[in-house]
């Protein structure tokens, strides 16, 4: 635990790792044994099937989701606060 004490700054609330292949599960089991519980709680692994707007919005505001996750309803160039395209007046 002491070796990992400076691993994550206090301002880091969650680390989302998305599109994790199923084959990574046994590897994560080994890696997680070396991490303190407080660090493991901050790391969220989402498999490809769990990388959805609904699942990711549990951890971040919808407007901050990548455009390919949000879907076709929100253009990549629109401003989250106004819904207008960048450069529109």
């Amino acid at each position: 635990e002491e070796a990992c004490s400076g691993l994550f700054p206090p301002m880091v609330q969650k680390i989302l790792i998305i599109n994790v292949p199923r084959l990574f599960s046994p590897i994560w089991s080994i890696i997680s044994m070396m991490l303190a519980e407080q660090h493991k709680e901050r790391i969220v692994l989402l498999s490809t099937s769990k990388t959805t707007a609904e699942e990711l919005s549990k951890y971040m505001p919808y407007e901050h989701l990548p455009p390919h996750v949000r879907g076709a309803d929100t253009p990549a160039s629109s401003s989250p606060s106004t819904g207008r395209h960048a450069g529109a007046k």
Side-chain angles (χ1 to χ4, degrees), residues 23-41:
L23 294 173
F24 187 71
S25 186
I27 296 167
W28 175 247
S29 296
I30 294 168
I31 293 170
S32 65
M33 286 191 288
M34 296 181 244
L35 296 174
E37 194 61 38
Q38 66 188 23
H39 298 314
K40 286 190 278 189
E41 291 172 357

Side-chain angles (χ1 to χ4, degrees), residues 8-77:
F8 303 115
M11 68 181 150
V12 174
Q13 294 176 3
K14 292 283 183 193
I15 296 174
L16 299 175
I17 304 173
I18 61 171
N19 294 329
V20 177
R22 290 184 195 176
L23 294 173
F24 187 71
S25 186
I27 296 167
W28 175 247
S29 296
I30 294 168
I31 293 170
S32 65
M33 286 191 288
M34 296 181 244
L35 296 174
E37 194 61 38
Q38 66 188 23
H39 298 314
K40 286 190 278 189
E41 291 172 357
R42 291 183 185 183
I43 300 172
V44 178
L45 301 177
L46 297 173
S47 65
T48 303
S49 63
K50 294 276 189 174
T51 304
T52 62
E54 181 180 350
E55 189 67 29
L56 288 173
S57 64
K58 293 178 183 177
Y59 304 101
M60 67 177 68
Y62 182 81
E63 60 270 8
H64 292 169
L65 296 178
H68 70 278
V69 175
R70 287 189 300 229
D73 64 329
T74 307
S77 61

